[in-house]
Amino acid sequence: MTPPPDAAELLARGELTVRGRIREASNAALYCTVAYDGREAACVYKPVAGERPLWDFPDGTLAQREVAAWEVSEATGWGLVPPTVLREGPYGEGMCQLWIEATPDAELLALVDGEEPEPGWKAIGFAEVGEGRTALLVHADDERLRRLAVLDAVLNNADRKGGHLLPTGDGRLYGIDHGVTFNAENKLRTLLWGWAGEPLTQEAVDVLEGLRKDLAEGGTLAARLAPLITGAELDATRARVAALLASRTHPEPSGEWPAIPWPPV
């Protein structure tokens, strides 16, 4: 699905009605509808009050980071994050994000026998599958995933799991759950390591050049991120973009931090 051009306004100004709770979420996540000026949409509302404290992120900042991730996604022009706003709701301030209906049978991840992936797939690493057996975990060699891998490197996403990938029936792909992003220290944990060390596409380089400009002092994106993340985190984002442009390659695991989130899906 392609979000309507006024989705952010609808999320920010509409009347929010809680319909239920998303139980598998690690923090409070509520399934809602939002209605404004004759329009209605489904959405997810995550109140700041429902965030669990984390040792490596300041308390009460996950909602702002989700909005910041959407702002960066919009600046890339790739539209990989559903429209997301910060607003008041029934349980206080929180993030509100357009609900995305995923296509359940889209194959983006798989466990396969053997030591090398088949054509059209990229290797992530080996995983234990029980009874002393291992299998190769792979992801699709998909342009949409490759763009998301670049975005995650910019965001310093510490939790890119398989369940956070939402392919839709019209061929789009969205990434969700960006609460643990923008840390000033290297925290990149992802399933999208298949391009590690490979050259960035020219498209990605062009997008990163645009981000560098927009993130500079006085830049449009810098101004939009300033109320959402700290100054040190904004500087670290600039540094990550500069490093990607200097290397012109997809990042590789640092070895200082677990490279793959757990559980991976």
Side-chain angles (χ1 to χ4, degrees):
M1 59 171 286
T2 301
D6 55 358
E9 180 190 40
L10 173 60
L11 292 170
R13 304 183 68 176
E15 181 180 356
L16 200 58
T17 303
V18 176
R19 303 296 184 185
R21 182 170 182 175
I22 303 170
R23 296 194 177 274
E24 59 268 26
S26 55
N27 294 293
L30 304 172
Y31 178 76
C32 303
T33 54
V34 61
Y36 176 72
D37 195 25
R39 294 166 288 152
E40 184 172 294
C43 60
V44 177
Y45 162 55
K46 296 181 182 179
V48 172
E51 295 177 3
R52 295 191 307 173
L54 298 171
W55 68 270
D56 52 350
F57 286 83
D59 292 351
T61 66
L62 305 191
Q64 291 95 319
R65 295 170 194 278
E66 297 241 30
V67 178
W70 174 66
E71 293 284 6
V72 175
S73 169
E74 288 298 284
T76 66
W78 286 334
L80 293 168
V81 178
T84 312
V85 303
L86 197 65
R87 60 162 292 168
E88 285 294 322
Y91 300 101
E93 185 179 62
M95 82 79 154
C96 189
Q97 184 176 82
L98 189 69
W99 179 267
I100 299 297
E101 208 58 63
T103 304
D105 57 352
E107 276 198 87
L108 297 174
L109 296 164
L111 282 167
V112 298
D113 293 324
E115 297 188 357
E116 296 292 334
E118 296 289 330
W121 295 88
K122 305 290 282 187
I124 303 167
F126 290 95
E128 293 186 12
V129 292
E131 299 180 354
R133 292 180 57 247
T134 60
L136 185 63
L137 182 60
V138 297
H139 66 67
D141 188 1
D142 185 299
E143 176 188 72
R144 301 167 302 170
L145 288 180
R146 192 166 191 173
R147 289 172 175 170
L148 193 58
V150 174
L151 179 64
D152 281 342
V154 172
L155 302 181
N156 196 16
N157 191 350
D159 196 32
R160 174 61 71 209
K161 297 176 178 176
H164 299 167
L165 304 173
L166 302 182
T168 63
D170 62 357
R172 296 195 60 158
L173 175 73
Y174 294 93
I176 60 168
D177 284 353
H178 296 101
V180 286
T181 49
F182 295 102
N183 200 298
E185 298 179 11
N186 180 21
K187 299 281 186 181
L188 185 60
R189 290 198 306 174
T190 176
L191 286 177
L192 304 181
W193 288 116
W195 298 281
E198 293 187 15
L200 294 168
T201 64
Q202 186 59 50
E203 178 197 45
V205 170
D206 292 343
V207 164
L208 290 166
E209 289 285 9
L211 286 181
R212 175 153 61 183
K213 212 172 287 186
D214 289 345
L215 285 167
E217 293 286 347
T220 306
L221 182 57
R224 297 184 78 88
L225 294 182
L228 301 169
I229 59 176
T230 69
E233 289 166 344
L234 182 53
D235 285 341
T237 304
R238 294 181 178 118
R240 288 192 297 273
V241 171
L244 287 166
L245 284 169
S247 71
R248 300 254 170 156
T249 60
H250 287 269
E252 300 182 75
S254 67
E256 301 171 356
W257 179 257
I260 296 175
W262 188 261
V265 178

